């Protein structure tokens, strides 16, 4: 058929698309190469942003190049640069350019990655990438999994699966066990799934912030005695607070003993499976019935890409598969054709796998191993430097790239130390050279650093600590 001259009120000419496209790519590259000279944290008031960005719904169009320029200044000018080398707060998100380009391509082709009929190529890439992650984590070939928006969705989907598989009789009152150090997304997932506080057991931890196994068994026995059904134990493979790994092997044994599902939250830490030290710390991860790991955390992918792996791929189907007459034509022909809408909540889903696939293919697993090892080393280097100084006190040692510490000069009270952590973090943020946040360990506010950007240097760490010392002297 001859190419038609289509009338489309929402189209740009080829020339204009190229102009816009080049401007977008140039803007991204400028950001990635010049970010270092910017303050990590920039914020504006709601009033300013509403005035500059708001207004009436535009009835007429405007020049897209000017729009991109405005967004560069007034939108991206006021965001936190979570991909900056010296961003140590929360869980940093250092992306990589191939991941960004893969996302751009996937959006450009508007891939519908819900079923094989619409995206056999994309489903194949997702399955191949999932298989790689399964292999790294020691999951069996019969296992399965899928990419999701992030760790919160992966944890929620895991509990939904655990409940479906373990509580076949839906009338049973099932209980979930986890340590108090577990990420809040788990509690949120339980809440969404209608598992109320009466059926949740956030358990105490030991001195090393690992789940107390005695408390775990005691709680399980008590619940059984009271007619409840323990159905799921959640273990941490790298807590958000301190990078702590629960005793995975022992928890797997307990889970087996009481016929519970073992879910491991390795949203952040599971990436360390690529390193010698991490692999040792994670012994037992392969025993999980399900595992959360987030490529948009320590696998250097742009948001959003989380992942859920399961030991038995059929369990996802049992949990999520439903049929509809308008989807009859998409029914998979044979086991090799995978319909991801049967494996999770989403029907319409984007092609998240491509970014991890492209990055692994471009840089190779060796580069990822090096990058992750570097994060572990940088946290250990930070600890070494802080231990040399007389007024800094390590609260939790460097573990899987996370370290917690306080400024505690001789004679300072706990209240003063607590307040100092908050004030120092504020000063770091206003300074803009680095960014870190606080958390609480055993009720005391501490400074927390997660220095995992693969471009970070020892010089960055030394200068960060020098500045920390100056700020600390100002506040206490
Ligand atoms: C251990 C852990 N689990 C789950 C989550 C939630 O992940 P997301 O923010 O991708 O939903 C986080 C977030 O930092 C996390 O650190």
């Amino acid at each position: 058929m001859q190419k038609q001259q289509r009338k489309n009120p929402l189209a740009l000419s080829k020339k204009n698309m190229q102009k816009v496209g080049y401007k977008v790519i140039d803007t991204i590259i400028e950001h990635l190469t010049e970010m270092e000279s910017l303050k990590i944290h920039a914020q504006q008031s709601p009033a300013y942003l509403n005035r500059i960005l708001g207004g009436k719904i535009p009835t007429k169009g405007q020049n897209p190049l000017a729009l991109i320029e405005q967004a560069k200044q007034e939108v991206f000018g006021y965001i936190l640069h979570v991909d900056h080398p010296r961003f140590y707060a929360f869980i940093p998100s250092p992306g990589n350019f191939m991941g960004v380009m893969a996302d751009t391509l996937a959006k450009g082709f508007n891939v519908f990655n819900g079923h094989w009929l619409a995206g056999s190529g994309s489903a194949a890439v997702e399955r191949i990438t999932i298989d790689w992650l399964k292999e790294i984590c020691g999951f069996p070939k019969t296992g399965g999994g899928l990419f999701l928006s992030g760790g919160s969705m992966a944890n929620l989907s895991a509990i939904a699966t655990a409940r479906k598989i373990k509580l076949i009789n839906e009338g049973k009152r099932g209980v979930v066990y986890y340590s108090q150090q577990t990420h809040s997304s788990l509690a949120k997932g339980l809440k969404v799934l209608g598992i109320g506080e009466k059926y949740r057991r956030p358990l105490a931890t030991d001195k090393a912030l690992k789940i107390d196994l005695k408390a775990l068994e005691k709680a399980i026995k008590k619940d059984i005695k009271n007619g409840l059904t323990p159905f799921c134990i959640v273990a941490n493979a790298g807590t958000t607070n301190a990078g702590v790994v629960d005793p995975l092997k022992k928890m797997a044994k307990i889970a087996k003993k009481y016929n519970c599902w073992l879910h491991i939250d390795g949203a952040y830490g599971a990436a360390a499976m690529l390193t010698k030290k991490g692999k040792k710390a994670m012994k037992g991860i392969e025993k999980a019935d399900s595992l959360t790991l987030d490529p948009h955390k320590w696998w250097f992918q742009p948001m959003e890409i989380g992942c859920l792996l399961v030991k038995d791929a059929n369990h996802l189907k049992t949990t999520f598969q439903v049929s509809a007459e308008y989807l009859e034509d998409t029914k998979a022909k044979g086991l090799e054709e995978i319909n991801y809408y049967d494996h999770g909540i989403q029907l319409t889903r984007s092609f998240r796998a491509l970014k991890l696939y492209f990055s692994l293919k471009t840089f190779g697993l060796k580069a990822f191993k090096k990058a992750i090892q570097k994060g572990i080393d940088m946290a250990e280097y930070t600890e070494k430097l802080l231990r040399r100084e007389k007024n800094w006190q390590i609260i939790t040692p460097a573990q899987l790239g996370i370290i917690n510490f306080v400024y505690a000069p001789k004679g300072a009270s706990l209240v003063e130390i607590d307040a100092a952590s908050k004030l120092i973090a504020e000063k770091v943020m206003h300074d803009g050279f680095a960014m870190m946040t606080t958390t609480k360990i055993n009720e005391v506010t501490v400074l927390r650093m997660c220095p995992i950007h693969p471009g970070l240097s020892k010089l960055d760490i030394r200068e960060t600590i020098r500045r920390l010392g100056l700020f600390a002297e100002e506040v206490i």
Side-chain angles (χ1 to χ4, degrees), residues 165-205:
I165 303 302
K166 291 293 181 187
L167 292 181
I168 299 158
N169 177 353
E170 310 248 338
K172 279 183 188 167
R173 291 173 302 157
V175 185
V176 183
Y177 306 81
Y178 50 97
S179 96
Q180 284 163 4
Q181 289 293 316
T182 305
H183 189 267
S184 58
S185 60
L186 183 80
K188 190 187 268 187
L190 295 173
K191 194 171 167 180
V192 171
L193 291 168
I195 300 173
E197 284 185 21
K198 259 169 83 178
Y199 303 107
R200 302 179 208 162
R201 302 287 174 268
L203 299 165
T205 52

Short mmCIF file of all heavy atoms in Angstrom, two decimals, residues 165-205:
data_model
loop_
_atom_site.label_atom_id
_atom_site.label_comp_id
_atom_site.label_asym_id
_atom_site.label_seq_id
_atom_site.Cartn_x
_atom_site.Cartn_y
_atom_site.Cartn_z
N ILE A 165 -0.80 -20.08 48.02
CA ILE A 165 -0.24 -21.44 48.01
C ILE A 165 -0.35 -22.11 49.39
O ILE A 165 -0.68 -23.29 49.49
CB ILE A 165 1.24 -21.42 47.55
CG1 ILE A 165 1.36 -20.77 46.16
CG2 ILE A 165 1.85 -22.82 47.57
CD1 ILE A 165 0.55 -21.42 45.05
N LYS A 166 -0.10 -21.36 50.44
CA LYS A 166 -0.06 -21.98 51.77
C LYS A 166 -1.40 -22.00 52.49
O LYS A 166 -1.65 -22.87 53.32
CB LYS A 166 0.98 -21.25 52.66
CG LYS A 166 2.42 -21.49 52.21
CD LYS A 166 2.83 -22.93 52.43
CE LYS A 166 4.25 -23.18 52.04
NZ LYS A 166 4.61 -24.61 52.07
N LEU A 167 -2.25 -21.03 52.19
CA LEU A 167 -3.55 -20.99 52.87
C LEU A 167 -4.63 -21.40 51.89
O LEU A 167 -5.47 -20.59 51.50
CB LEU A 167 -3.84 -19.59 53.41
CG LEU A 167 -2.98 -19.09 54.56
CD1 LEU A 167 -3.44 -17.71 54.97
CD2 LEU A 167 -3.04 -20.02 55.74
N ILE A 168 -4.57 -22.66 51.47
CA ILE A 168 -5.51 -23.12 50.43
C ILE A 168 -6.94 -22.90 50.90
O ILE A 168 -7.80 -22.42 50.17
CB ILE A 168 -5.23 -24.59 50.09
CG1 ILE A 168 -3.80 -24.67 49.55
CG2 ILE A 168 -6.21 -25.12 49.05
CD1 ILE A 168 -3.17 -26.01 49.65
N ASN A 169 -7.16 -23.20 52.16
CA ASN A 169 -8.48 -22.95 52.71
C ASN A 169 -8.52 -21.48 53.14
O ASN A 169 -7.93 -21.08 54.12
CB ASN A 169 -8.67 -23.86 53.92
CG ASN A 169 -9.99 -23.60 54.61
OD1 ASN A 169 -10.71 -22.65 54.27
ND2 ASN A 169 -10.31 -24.44 55.56
N GLU A 170 -9.23 -20.67 52.35
CA GLU A 170 -9.18 -19.22 52.56
C GLU A 170 -9.77 -18.79 53.91
O GLU A 170 -9.57 -17.67 54.35
CB GLU A 170 -9.90 -18.50 51.41
CG GLU A 170 -9.44 -18.95 50.06
CD GLU A 170 -8.68 -17.89 49.29
OE1 GLU A 170 -8.85 -16.72 49.61
OE2 GLU A 170 -7.93 -18.27 48.38
N GLY A 171 -10.49 -19.70 54.55
CA GLY A 171 -11.08 -19.37 55.85
C GLY A 171 -10.05 -19.32 56.96
O GLY A 171 -10.30 -18.76 58.02
N LYS A 172 -8.86 -19.90 56.70
CA LYS A 172 -7.85 -19.96 57.76
C LYS A 172 -7.30 -18.58 58.08
O LYS A 172 -7.16 -17.74 57.19
CB LYS A 172 -6.68 -20.84 57.30
CG LYS A 172 -6.94 -22.31 57.43
CD LYS A 172 -5.68 -23.04 57.00
CE LYS A 172 -5.90 -24.52 56.91
NZ LYS A 172 -4.81 -25.20 56.23
N ARG A 173 -6.95 -18.40 59.34
CA ARG A 173 -6.38 -17.11 59.72
C ARG A 173 -4.86 -17.23 59.74
O ARG A 173 -4.29 -17.85 60.63
CB ARG A 173 -6.94 -16.67 61.07
CG ARG A 173 -8.43 -16.32 60.98
CD ARG A 173 -9.04 -16.04 62.31
NE ARG A 173 -8.90 -17.17 63.21
CZ ARG A 173 -8.94 -17.06 64.54
NH1 ARG A 173 -9.09 -15.89 65.10
NH2 ARG A 173 -8.81 -18.11 65.30
N GLY A 174 -4.22 -16.70 58.74
CA GLY A 174 -2.79 -16.91 58.56
C GLY A 174 -1.96 -15.78 59.14
O GLY A 174 -2.39 -14.62 59.17
N VAL A 175 -0.78 -16.12 59.60
CA VAL A 175 0.10 -15.13 60.24
C VAL A 175 1.43 -15.03 59.49
O VAL A 175 1.95 -16.04 59.00
CB VAL A 175 0.36 -15.53 61.72
CG1 VAL A 175 1.16 -14.45 62.43
CG2 VAL A 175 -0.95 -15.78 62.45
N VAL A 176 1.95 -13.80 59.44
CA VAL A 176 3.24 -13.52 58.77
C VAL A 176 4.25 -13.05 59.81
O VAL A 176 3.92 -12.24 60.69
CB VAL A 176 3.07 -12.41 57.70
CG1 VAL A 176 4.37 -12.18 56.96
CG2 VAL A 176 1.98 -12.78 56.71
N TYR A 177 5.48 -13.54 59.70
CA TYR A 177 6.55 -13.25 60.67
C TYR A 177 7.71 -12.54 59.98
O TYR A 177 8.12 -12.94 58.89
CB TYR A 177 7.05 -14.56 61.31
CG TYR A 177 5.93 -15.36 61.91
CD1 TYR A 177 5.12 -16.16 61.09
CD2 TYR A 177 5.63 -15.27 63.26
CE1 TYR A 177 4.04 -16.86 61.62
CE2 TYR A 177 4.57 -15.97 63.80
CZ TYR A 177 3.78 -16.76 62.97
OH TYR A 177 2.71 -17.44 63.50
N TYR A 178 8.26 -11.54 60.65
CA TYR A 178 9.40 -10.80 60.08
C TYR A 178 10.05 -9.98 61.19
O TYR A 178 9.44 -9.76 62.24
CB TYR A 178 8.95 -9.90 58.93
CG TYR A 178 7.76 -9.01 59.25
CD1 TYR A 178 7.91 -7.70 59.65
CD2 TYR A 178 6.46 -9.52 59.15
CE1 TYR A 178 6.82 -6.89 59.94
CE2 TYR A 178 5.36 -8.72 59.46
CZ TYR A 178 5.54 -7.42 59.85
OH TYR A 178 4.45 -6.64 60.15
N SER A 179 11.24 -9.52 60.95
CA SER A 179 11.91 -8.74 62.00
C SER A 179 11.49 -7.27 61.93
O SER A 179 11.03 -6.78 60.89
CB SER A 179 13.43 -8.85 61.87
OG SER A 179 13.94 -7.74 61.15
N GLN A 180 11.69 -6.59 63.04
CA GLN A 180 11.34 -5.16 63.10
C GLN A 180 12.20 -4.32 62.17
O GLN A 180 11.92 -3.16 61.93
CB GLN A 180 11.48 -4.67 64.54
CG GLN A 180 10.33 -5.12 65.40
CD GLN A 180 10.62 -5.01 66.88
OE1 GLN A 180 11.67 -4.52 67.28
NE2 GLN A 180 9.71 -5.48 67.71
N GLN A 181 13.28 -4.89 61.65
CA GLN A 181 14.15 -4.17 60.73
C GLN A 181 13.69 -4.31 59.27
O GLN A 181 14.31 -3.76 58.36
CB GLN A 181 15.59 -4.69 60.85
CG GLN A 181 16.28 -4.27 62.15
CD GLN A 181 16.53 -2.78 62.23
OE1 GLN A 181 16.97 -2.16 61.27
NE2 GLN A 181 16.23 -2.18 63.36
N THR A 182 12.61 -5.05 59.06
CA THR A 182 12.12 -5.27 57.69
C THR A 182 11.59 -3.96 57.09
O THR A 182 10.99 -3.15 57.79
CB THR A 182 11.00 -6.34 57.71
OG1 THR A 182 11.55 -7.49 58.35
CG2 THR A 182 10.53 -6.71 56.32
N HIS A 183 11.80 -3.78 55.80
CA HIS A 183 11.39 -2.54 55.14
C HIS A 183 9.87 -2.32 55.25
O HIS A 183 9.09 -3.29 55.17
CB HIS A 183 11.80 -2.59 53.66
CG HIS A 183 11.61 -1.28 52.97
ND1 HIS A 183 10.47 -0.95 52.29
CD2 HIS A 183 12.43 -0.20 52.89
CE1 HIS A 183 10.59 0.28 51.80
NE2 HIS A 183 11.78 0.76 52.15
N SER A 184 9.49 -1.06 55.39
CA SER A 184 8.07 -0.72 55.61
C SER A 184 7.16 -1.15 54.46
O SER A 184 5.94 -1.25 54.63
CB SER A 184 7.95 0.79 55.81
OG SER A 184 8.47 1.46 54.68
N SER A 185 7.74 -1.41 53.29
CA SER A 185 6.90 -1.83 52.16
C SER A 185 6.21 -3.16 52.47
O SER A 185 5.15 -3.45 51.91
CB SER A 185 7.72 -1.96 50.88
OG SER A 185 8.75 -2.91 51.05
N LEU A 186 6.80 -3.96 53.34
CA LEU A 186 6.16 -5.23 53.67
C LEU A 186 4.86 -4.97 54.44
O LEU A 186 3.80 -5.50 54.09
CB LEU A 186 7.09 -6.15 54.49
CG LEU A 186 6.40 -7.49 54.75
CD1 LEU A 186 6.50 -8.40 53.55
CD2 LEU A 186 6.89 -8.17 55.99
N ALA A 187 4.96 -4.11 55.46
CA ALA A 187 3.76 -3.78 56.24
C ALA A 187 2.70 -3.17 55.32
O ALA A 187 1.50 -3.46 55.46
CB ALA A 187 4.12 -2.83 57.36
N LYS A 188 3.14 -2.36 54.38
CA LYS A 188 2.18 -1.74 53.45
C LYS A 188 1.50 -2.82 52.61
O LYS A 188 0.29 -2.81 52.41
CB LYS A 188 2.90 -0.73 52.56
CG LYS A 188 1.95 0.14 51.75
CD LYS A 188 2.66 1.00 50.76
CE LYS A 188 2.99 2.36 51.32
NZ LYS A 188 3.54 3.27 50.31
N GLY A 189 2.31 -3.75 52.12
CA GLY A 189 1.75 -4.84 51.31
C GLY A 189 0.74 -5.66 52.09
O GLY A 189 -0.33 -6.01 51.59
N LEU A 190 1.08 -5.95 53.36
CA LEU A 190 0.17 -6.73 54.20
C LEU A 190 -1.13 -5.97 54.39
O LEU A 190 -2.23 -6.55 54.34
CB LEU A 190 0.83 -7.02 55.55
CG LEU A 190 2.08 -7.93 55.50
CD1 LEU A 190 2.75 -8.01 56.87
CD2 LEU A 190 1.72 -9.32 55.00
N LYS A 191 -1.00 -4.67 54.59
CA LYS A 191 -2.18 -3.82 54.78
C LYS A 191 -3.08 -3.87 53.53
O LYS A 191 -4.29 -4.07 53.63
CB LYS A 191 -1.68 -2.39 55.02
CG LYS A 191 -2.68 -1.43 55.56
CD LYS A 191 -1.96 -0.14 55.94
CE LYS A 191 -2.95 0.96 56.20
NZ LYS A 191 -2.29 2.20 56.57
N VAL A 192 -2.47 -3.73 52.38
CA VAL A 192 -3.23 -3.76 51.12
C VAL A 192 -3.91 -5.12 50.94
O VAL A 192 -5.04 -5.20 50.45
CB VAL A 192 -2.28 -3.46 49.92
CG1 VAL A 192 -2.99 -3.69 48.59
CG2 VAL A 192 -1.76 -2.03 50.01
N LEU A 193 -3.22 -6.18 51.35
CA LEU A 193 -3.78 -7.53 51.18
C LEU A 193 -4.81 -7.87 52.26
O LEU A 193 -5.33 -8.97 52.29
CB LEU A 193 -2.65 -8.56 51.20
CG LEU A 193 -1.71 -8.52 49.98
CD1 LEU A 193 -0.47 -9.36 50.22
CD2 LEU A 193 -2.44 -8.99 48.73
N GLY A 194 -5.04 -6.95 53.15
CA GLY A 194 -6.05 -7.18 54.19
C GLY A 194 -5.55 -8.05 55.33
O GLY A 194 -6.34 -8.65 56.04
N ILE A 195 -4.22 -8.16 55.47
CA ILE A 195 -3.66 -8.92 56.58
C ILE A 195 -3.40 -7.92 57.71
O ILE A 195 -2.42 -7.17 57.69
CB ILE A 195 -2.37 -9.67 56.14
CG1 ILE A 195 -2.71 -10.64 55.00
CG2 ILE A 195 -1.73 -10.40 57.32
CD1 ILE A 195 -1.53 -11.32 54.35
N GLY A 196 -4.34 -7.86 58.63
CA GLY A 196 -4.30 -6.83 59.68
C GLY A 196 -3.21 -7.05 60.70
O GLY A 196 -2.54 -8.09 60.70
N GLU A 197 -3.06 -6.07 61.58
CA GLU A 197 -1.99 -6.14 62.58
C GLU A 197 -2.08 -7.37 63.46
O GLU A 197 -1.07 -7.87 63.95
CB GLU A 197 -1.99 -4.86 63.42
CG GLU A 197 -1.38 -3.70 62.63
CD GLU A 197 -1.24 -2.43 63.43
OE1 GLU A 197 -1.22 -2.50 64.67
OE2 GLU A 197 -1.18 -1.37 62.79
N LYS A 198 -3.32 -7.86 63.64
CA LYS A 198 -3.52 -9.06 64.46
C LYS A 198 -2.80 -10.26 63.88
O LYS A 198 -2.52 -11.23 64.59
CB LYS A 198 -5.02 -9.38 64.49
CG LYS A 198 -5.71 -8.94 65.76
CD LYS A 198 -7.20 -9.05 65.65
CE LYS A 198 -7.75 -10.44 65.92
NZ LYS A 198 -9.23 -10.45 65.84
N TYR A 199 -2.51 -10.20 62.58
CA TYR A 199 -1.90 -11.37 61.92
C TYR A 199 -0.47 -11.07 61.47
O TYR A 199 0.07 -11.76 60.61
CB TYR A 199 -2.79 -11.79 60.72
CG TYR A 199 -4.18 -12.10 61.20
CD1 TYR A 199 -5.23 -11.22 60.93
CD2 TYR A 199 -4.44 -13.22 61.97
CE1 TYR A 199 -6.50 -11.48 61.41
CE2 TYR A 199 -5.70 -13.48 62.47
CZ TYR A 199 -6.73 -12.60 62.18
OH TYR A 199 -7.99 -12.86 62.68
N ARG A 200 0.10 -10.03 62.03
CA ARG A 200 1.49 -9.69 61.68
C ARG A 200 2.34 -9.80 62.92
O ARG A 200 1.93 -9.36 64.00
CB ARG A 200 1.60 -8.24 61.20
CG ARG A 200 0.75 -7.91 60.02
CD ARG A 200 0.95 -6.44 59.68
NE ARG A 200 -0.23 -5.91 59.03
CZ ARG A 200 -0.50 -4.62 58.92
NH1 ARG A 200 0.34 -3.72 59.41
NH2 ARG A 200 -1.59 -4.21 58.33
N ARG A 201 3.54 -10.35 62.77
CA ARG A 201 4.45 -10.48 63.92
C ARG A 201 5.80 -9.82 63.60
O ARG A 201 6.74 -10.47 63.16
CB ARG A 201 4.69 -11.95 64.26
CG ARG A 201 3.45 -12.75 64.59
CD ARG A 201 2.86 -12.41 65.97
NE ARG A 201 1.60 -13.11 66.14
CZ ARG A 201 0.40 -12.61 65.82
NH1 ARG A 201 0.27 -11.37 65.38
NH2 ARG A 201 -0.69 -13.34 65.99
N PRO A 202 5.88 -8.50 63.82
CA PRO A 202 7.19 -7.85 63.66
C PRO A 202 8.05 -8.18 64.89
O PRO A 202 7.75 -7.72 65.98
CB PRO A 202 6.85 -6.36 63.60
CG PRO A 202 5.45 -6.24 64.11
CD PRO A 202 4.82 -7.59 64.24
N LEU A 203 9.06 -9.00 64.73
CA LEU A 203 9.78 -9.56 65.88
C LEU A 203 11.06 -8.80 66.22
O LEU A 203 11.66 -8.14 65.36
CB LEU A 203 10.11 -11.03 65.58
CG LEU A 203 8.88 -11.92 65.35
CD1 LEU A 203 9.28 -13.23 64.70
CD2 LEU A 203 8.14 -12.17 66.65
N ALA A 204 11.47 -8.99 67.45
CA ALA A 204 12.68 -8.32 67.94
C ALA A 204 13.91 -8.85 67.20
O ALA A 204 13.88 -9.94 66.61
CB ALA A 204 12.83 -8.61 69.42
N THR A 205 14.96 -8.06 67.25
CA THR A 205 16.22 -8.49 66.63
C THR A 205 17.28 -8.65 67.71
O THR A 205 17.12 -8.15 68.83
CB THR A 205 16.71 -7.45 65.60
OG1 THR A 205 16.76 -6.18 66.23
CG2 THR A 205 15.81 -7.39 64.38
#
